[in-house]
Amino acid sequence: MTQPRTIDVLLDQYADSHRHPTNELIHFVCVPVIVFTLLGILWSIHPLTAVLACAAALGYYFKLSRPFAFGMLAMACAMLALLAAMPPMTVLPLSIAIFFVAWIGQFIGHKIEGKKPSFMDDLRFLLIGPLFVLGFLYRRLRVAY
C-alpha cells in the first residue's frame, strides 16, 4: 500500500476546517486577496522582497506538487505584474487596508464554520490555503495535481 502524498494529506487536513459552503466561498475570495495584499506590502518595502517571497513559496510548492507550483507561478507573475502597474503611492495603503478586511472575512468564515483556522495548529497552512483554492479550480478544469 502506498503512502498518500504530502500535498494530499495537507489539503485533506486543511479541508477539515473548510467544509461549510459559506466559509469556502469566503476563502475562495479572501485567500487570493490576502496573497496579493501581502505581496503588495512586501513590494512596498522593495519589489525584490516580493519576488523573493514568491520564489521561496514556489520552492516549497515545487516540493509538494509541480502542477500546483506552475499554477502558483502564473498567479504570482500576474499579481507582481499588477503591483508593478499600480501607482507606487497607492500600493501600501491599499494593501494594508484590504489585507485587514480580507482577514476579517476569513475569521467570519471560521466563525460560521465553527472551527479555528488551520494555521493556528500548523503555520504551513498559510501556504496551503492558496493551493486549496487552486485545487478547486484544478478539479473543475480536471487538471491533475
Side-chain angles (χ1 to χ4, degrees):
M1 185 158 123
T2 62
Q3 278 194 276
R5 300 177 311 161
T6 302
I7 185 61
D8 295 322
V9 171
L10 290 169
L11 287 172
D12 286 346
Q13 289 174 346
Y14 190 88
D16 282 342
S17 59
H18 301 88
R19 302 235 184 257
H20 192 283
T22 302
N23 188 30
E24 282 186 345
L25 180 61
I26 288 169
H27 277 66
F28 293 157
V29 172
C30 290
V31 168
V33 168
I34 289 169
V35 172
F36 178 71
T37 57
L38 179 59
L39 288 176
I41 293 166
L42 294 173
W43 184 273
S44 296
I45 295 168
H46 193 280
L48 186 57
T49 308
V51 171
L52 291 174
C54 288
L58 288 168
Y60 179 65
Y61 293 147
F62 268 104
K63 288 181 181 180
L64 292 175
S65 162
R66 288 181 189 251
F68 270 148
F70 286 119
M72 292 302 295
L73 175 62
M75 190 162 65
C77 288
M79 289 180 176
L80 292 172
L82 183 57
L83 287 168
M86 290 175 64
M89 296 304 291
T90 64
V91 173
L92 184 60
L94 281 174
S95 294
I96 290 172
I98 297 170
F99 180 84
F100 283 109
V101 170
W103 271 109
I104 290 168
Q106 294 279 80
F107 284 106
I108 289 169
H110 281 285
K111 180 74 173 166
I112 292 166
E113 182 81 40
K115 293 185 180 178
K116 66 183 178 182
S118 303
F119 75 86
M120 290 188 170
D121 290 328
D122 187 340
L123 289 177
R124 287 184 299 174
F125 288 112
L126 290 171
L127 290 169
I128 299 304
L131 299 183
F132 178 76
V133 174
L134 190 56
F136 178 80
L137 177 63
Y138 276 20
R139 286 188 299 280
R140 286 283 174 132
L141 297 175
R142 295 192 166 121
V143 174
Y145 55 84

